[in-house]
Amino acid sequence: MNAFRIARNELRRLSTGTMPKLALVALVLVPLLYASFYLYANYDPYGRLDKLPAAVFTSDTGAKDASGQQRNVGREVTDELVKSGTFQWHEVSEQEARDGVRDDKYSFAIGIPSGFSAALLSVGNFQPQQATITLTTNDANNYLSGTIAKQVAEQVRKTIAKKVGSEAADRFLVGFSTIYGKVQEASTGAAQLADGAAQLKSGQQKLADGAAQLADGSSTLATGLGTLKNSTAELPSQTQKLADGASQVAAGDQKVADAASLAANASSDVQGKLDSYRNQLVTDLRGAGVPEAQIQAIVGRADQLRSPVDQANSKIQQANGDLSKLADGARQVSDGAAKLAAASPQLTSGIAQASDGANRLKDGASQLSDGEKTAVNGTNQLADGAVKLRDGLAAGLQQIPNPDDPTRSATANTIADPVAVNANGEASAGTYGAGLAPFFISLATWIGAFVLFLLLRPLSTRALTAGAAPFRVAAGGWLSSALLGIAQVVVLFGAVTWLVGIHIAHPLGAIGFAVLVSLTFTAVVHALNAFFGAVGKFLGLVLLVLQLVSAGGTFPWQTIPDALYPLHVVLPMGYAIDGFRHLFYSGASVRILGDIGVLLAYLVGGILVSTLAARKRRVWTVSALKPELSL
């Protein structure tokens, strides 16, 4: 008797009669009822949150922002929540919200207290206060609804913080633009200051050079005036002597001039008498009858004799004129000398004063030169400082933000919400139900294998009594459950994909892997029932519980207590779930080869344990014929 015949006989036993057939169909449908209905009920609960009743109320009275505009942020938030449609929002009073959450009318309530706007807008007035929103939950209604409410409240808080932060950052950047304009004006003024300082530096250097020249010239002037002062110290006495001498010379010259005048007059009288004598001589000669020729000869001779007298008269007259001029000049010199003598004391005093002034000018010019040297140094520092101020303001101006309106708005939004999440999933389940599908399909497959042996006999008594080989007996007992298990997963996958609508990335691979999981689980449960009998059914339930808490079907397995880590590594359901996840979401990968290897090891191990049980059952004992406990 081979294993296939043993399996066929066991299935024929179960299909004889109407009730056994119905029981067989029920066994096939157990995983379907368990997994498909649960997945259908939880296919996309987050997509139906708009059916969840929630209350919202606001007591905010508003406040004025930094610009003086009246704002009611609580009213704005309430309106946005009601319009969002994320939940079935009901705007009610604070008391109605609290009563509704207590009486299970609302799953949770979000409230905005009075002073909410004032607290939010206080940042702009540098009187910061923390605004609060109230969240009312009741775990007696539903624990997850409270958890969802906390996430909603946190999202509302982040949205409000982003909005307020964006507005505050916008005002902050506007202030930067204002500062930029003022610094730009200061930079322009600093540039003009630097240019003026450079011109001042050049002019100051010229002034310093001029002051040095003035100091040198005033020193020379003081020296010259000092020499002049010393040289003219005796000028009044000398000029007085000169005036006295000139007066004496003028008096003498006047006497000489007077004598010369007398001589000139006498000479003129002699000339007149000689002219009269000549004319008388001509008349007398003519009266005497002297020929005219002789008269002319005689007159000519007389004129020759008179010529020295005429020459002497000319010289006397010329000398008289010269002496008159000399007397006039001497008198003028005498008058000038007298005036010079009278003015010499004032001139000497003026020269002394000029010399003293020149000395003071020299000292002042020296001080001016020294002061200009200091001024040049200060002007150089001013020019250098003005250049540094200009360059510093120009460099600082480049560091001050001055965005345009779109850039400022985008920057303010970025400051308020600086980090964005760029979701780049390697694989996506899509819905909540699809995310739970690997866990519940694995769980349903184990339950399906467990319920099979409520009707199936793990080992054929007929084959054992006929002396069939233990392996054939074990394989025959497992094959019947394996065939029914395959039918279970095929029906289950049809319902999950076609009726529930869960998308599977690698359908053929997923079905093949599900068949392997079913074969493995049936082999394990078969081995437990074959080796331990009725106790094996209890052990199957215990293994189910241990795998539920350690497989990591819902939360990541790393979050379970450390004491359960070994169970996750040893038991097969975790590997089944891992393989299903890869095939459901991302298709086949090399990683599932490890899962397949573990499941194959459990499959082979289950058959070997069943074979050992069949070998053991070949020896009949009293406990085997009449067990203490029978299920």
Side-chain angles (χ1 to χ4, degrees), residues 21 46 107 118 130 137 146 159 170 172 188 207 248 257 323 359 361 378 410 476 510 558 564:
K21 291 179 180 178
Y46 295 106
S107 297
Q130 189 175 38
T137 60
T159 302
D170 186 72
F172 183 67
T188 303
L207 181 59
Q248 294 174 1
L323 288 173
N359 288 327
L361 176 62
Q558 291 88 345
L564 298 180

CSV table of all heavy atoms in Angstrom, one decimal, residues 21 46 107 118 130 137 146 159 170 172 188 207 248 257 323 359 361 378 410 476 510 558 564:
chain,number,residue,atom,x,y,z
A,21,LYS,N,-19.3,15.3,3.3
A,21,LYS,CA,-18.9,16.2,2.2
A,21,LYS,C,-19.0,17.7,2.6
A,21,LYS,O,-18.2,18.5,2.3
A,21,LYS,CB,-19.8,15.9,1.0
A,21,LYS,CG,-19.5,14.6,0.4
A,21,LYS,CD,-20.4,14.3,-0.8
A,21,LYS,CE,-20.2,13.0,-1.4
A,21,LYS,NZ,-21.1,12.7,-2.6
A,46,TYR,N,-8.6,53.9,7.0
A,46,TYR,CA,-8.2,55.3,6.9
A,46,TYR,C,-8.9,56.1,5.8
A,46,TYR,O,-9.1,57.3,5.9
A,46,TYR,CB,-6.7,55.4,6.7
A,46,TYR,CG,-5.9,54.9,7.9
A,46,TYR,CD1,-5.2,53.6,7.8
A,46,TYR,CD2,-5.8,55.5,9.1
A,46,TYR,CE1,-4.5,53.1,8.8
A,46,TYR,CE2,-5.1,55.0,10.2
A,46,TYR,CZ,-4.5,53.8,10.0
A,46,TYR,OH,-3.8,53.3,11.1
A,107,SER,N,-16.2,60.6,18.7
A,107,SER,CA,-15.1,59.8,19.0
A,107,SER,C,-14.0,60.6,19.8
A,107,SER,O,-13.3,60.1,20.7
A,107,SER,CB,-14.4,59.3,17.7
A,107,SER,OG,-15.4,58.4,17.1
A,118,ALA,N,-4.4,85.6,20.8
A,118,ALA,CA,-3.5,86.5,21.5
A,118,ALA,C,-2.1,85.8,21.8
A,118,ALA,O,-1.1,86.4,21.7
A,118,ALA,CB,-4.1,87.0,22.8
A,130,GLN,N,2.8,80.6,24.9
A,130,GLN,CA,2.5,79.4,24.1
A,130,GLN,C,1.0,79.1,24.1
A,130,GLN,O,0.3,79.1,25.1
A,130,GLN,CB,3.2,78.2,24.8
A,130,GLN,CG,3.1,76.9,24.0
A,130,GLN,CD,3.9,75.8,24.7
A,130,GLN,OE1,3.9,75.7,25.9
A,130,GLN,NE2,4.6,75.0,23.9
A,137,THR,N,-10.5,62.8,24.6
A,137,THR,CA,-10.7,61.5,24.1
A,137,THR,C,-11.3,60.6,25.2
A,137,THR,O,-11.4,61.0,26.4
A,137,THR,CB,-9.4,60.9,23.7
A,137,THR,OG1,-8.5,60.8,24.8
A,137,THR,CG2,-8.7,61.7,22.6
A,146,GLY,N,-8.8,57.3,19.8
A,146,GLY,CA,-8.1,58.2,20.6
A,146,GLY,C,-6.7,58.4,20.1
A,146,GLY,O,-6.1,59.5,20.0
A,159,THR,N,0.3,72.3,11.7
A,159,THR,CA,-0.2,73.2,10.6
A,159,THR,C,-0.3,74.7,11.1
A,159,THR,O,0.1,75.6,10.4
A,159,THR,CB,-1.6,72.7,10.2
A,159,THR,OG1,-1.5,71.4,9.7
A,159,THR,CG2,-2.1,73.6,9.1
A,170,ASP,N,7.9,85.9,7.5
A,170,ASP,CA,7.7,86.9,6.4
A,170,ASP,C,8.0,88.3,7.0
A,170,ASP,O,8.6,89.1,6.3
A,170,ASP,CB,6.3,86.7,5.9
A,170,ASP,CG,6.1,87.6,4.7
A,170,ASP,OD1,6.6,87.3,3.6
A,170,ASP,OD2,5.3,88.6,4.9
A,172,PHE,N,9.8,89.0,9.5
A,172,PHE,CA,11.2,89.0,9.8
A,172,PHE,C,12.0,89.4,8.5
A,172,PHE,O,12.9,90.2,8.5
A,172,PHE,CB,11.7,87.7,10.3
A,172,PHE,CG,13.1,87.6,10.7
A,172,PHE,CD1,13.6,88.3,11.8
A,172,PHE,CD2,14.0,86.8,10.0
A,172,PHE,CE1,14.9,88.2,12.2
A,172,PHE,CE2,15.3,86.7,10.4
A,172,PHE,CZ,15.8,87.5,11.5
A,188,THR,N,25.9,104.1,0.5
A,188,THR,CA,26.1,105.1,-0.4
A,188,THR,C,26.7,106.3,0.3
A,188,THR,O,27.6,107.0,-0.3
A,188,THR,CB,24.7,105.5,-1.0
A,188,THR,OG1,24.1,104.4,-1.7
A,188,THR,CG2,24.9,106.6,-2.1
A,207,LEU,N,47.6,121.6,2.4
A,207,LEU,CA,47.6,122.6,3.5
A,207,LEU,C,48.8,122.4,4.4
A,207,LEU,O,49.4,123.4,4.8
A,207,LEU,CB,46.3,122.4,4.3
A,207,LEU,CG,46.1,123.4,5.4
A,207,LEU,CD1,46.1,124.9,4.9
A,207,LEU,CD2,44.7,123.2,6.1
A,248,GLN,N,71.4,173.0,6.4
A,248,GLN,CA,72.6,173.9,6.2
A,248,GLN,C,73.0,174.0,4.8
A,248,GLN,O,73.3,175.1,4.3
A,248,GLN,CB,73.7,173.4,7.1
A,248,GLN,CG,73.4,173.5,8.6
A,248,GLN,CD,74.5,172.8,9.4
A,248,GLN,OE1,75.5,172.3,8.9
A,248,GLN,NE2,74.4,172.8,10.8
A,257,ALA,N,73.2,180.8,-4.7
A,257,ALA,CA,72.2,181.1,-5.7
A,257,ALA,C,71.9,182.6,-5.8
A,257,ALA,O,71.8,183.2,-6.9
A,257,ALA,CB,70.9,180.3,-5.5
A,323,LEU,N,72.4,177.1,-10.4
A,323,LEU,CA,72.4,177.3,-8.9
A,323,LEU,C,71.0,177.5,-8.4
A,323,LEU,O,70.8,177.1,-7.2
A,323,LEU,CB,73.3,178.6,-8.7
A,323,LEU,CG,74.8,178.3,-8.9
A,323,LEU,CD1,75.6,179.7,-8.8
A,323,LEU,CD2,75.4,177.3,-7.9
A,359,ASN,N,57.9,137.5,14.5
A,359,ASN,CA,58.3,136.4,15.4
A,359,ASN,C,57.1,135.6,15.9
A,359,ASN,O,57.1,134.4,16.0
A,359,ASN,CB,59.0,137.0,16.6
A,359,ASN,CG,60.4,137.6,16.3
A,359,ASN,OD1,61.1,137.0,15.4
A,359,ASN,ND2,60.9,138.6,16.9
A,361,LEU,N,54.3,135.4,14.2
A,361,LEU,CA,53.9,134.7,13.0
A,361,LEU,C,54.7,133.4,12.8
A,361,LEU,O,54.2,132.4,12.5
A,361,LEU,CB,54.0,135.6,11.8
A,361,LEU,CG,53.7,134.9,10.4
A,361,LEU,CD1,52.2,134.5,10.4
A,361,LEU,CD2,53.9,135.9,9.3
A,378,GLY,N,45.5,112.4,11.2
A,378,GLY,CA,44.1,112.2,11.5
A,378,GLY,C,43.3,112.0,10.2
A,378,GLY,O,42.4,111.2,10.1
A,410,ALA,N,8.4,82.2,-0.3
A,410,ALA,CA,8.9,80.9,-0.3
A,410,ALA,C,9.9,80.6,0.8
A,410,ALA,O,9.9,79.6,1.5
A,410,ALA,CB,9.6,80.6,-1.6
A,476,GLY,N,1.3,9.2,3.4
A,476,GLY,CA,-0.1,9.0,3.0
A,476,GLY,C,-1.0,9.9,4.0
A,476,GLY,O,-2.0,10.5,3.5
A,510,ALA,N,3.4,34.2,-5.6
A,510,ALA,CA,2.7,34.3,-4.3
A,510,ALA,C,1.9,33.0,-4.1
A,510,ALA,O,1.8,32.4,-3.0
A,510,ALA,CB,1.8,35.5,-4.2
A,558,GLN,N,11.1,43.4,15.7
A,558,GLN,CA,12.2,43.9,16.6
A,558,GLN,C,11.6,44.6,17.8
A,558,GLN,O,12.3,44.9,18.8
A,558,GLN,CB,13.1,44.9,15.8
A,558,GLN,CG,14.0,44.3,14.8
A,558,GLN,CD,13.3,44.2,13.4
A,558,GLN,OE1,12.1,44.4,13.3
A,558,GLN,NE2,14.0,43.9,12.4
A,564,LEU,N,11.3,37.0,23.5
A,564,LEU,CA,10.6,36.4,22.4
A,564,LEU,C,11.4,36.3,21.1
A,564,LEU,O,10.9,35.7,20.1
A,564,LEU,CB,9.2,37.1,22.1
A,564,LEU,CG,8.2,37.1,23.3
A,564,LEU,CD1,7.0,37.9,22.9
A,564,LEU,CD2,7.9,35.7,23.8
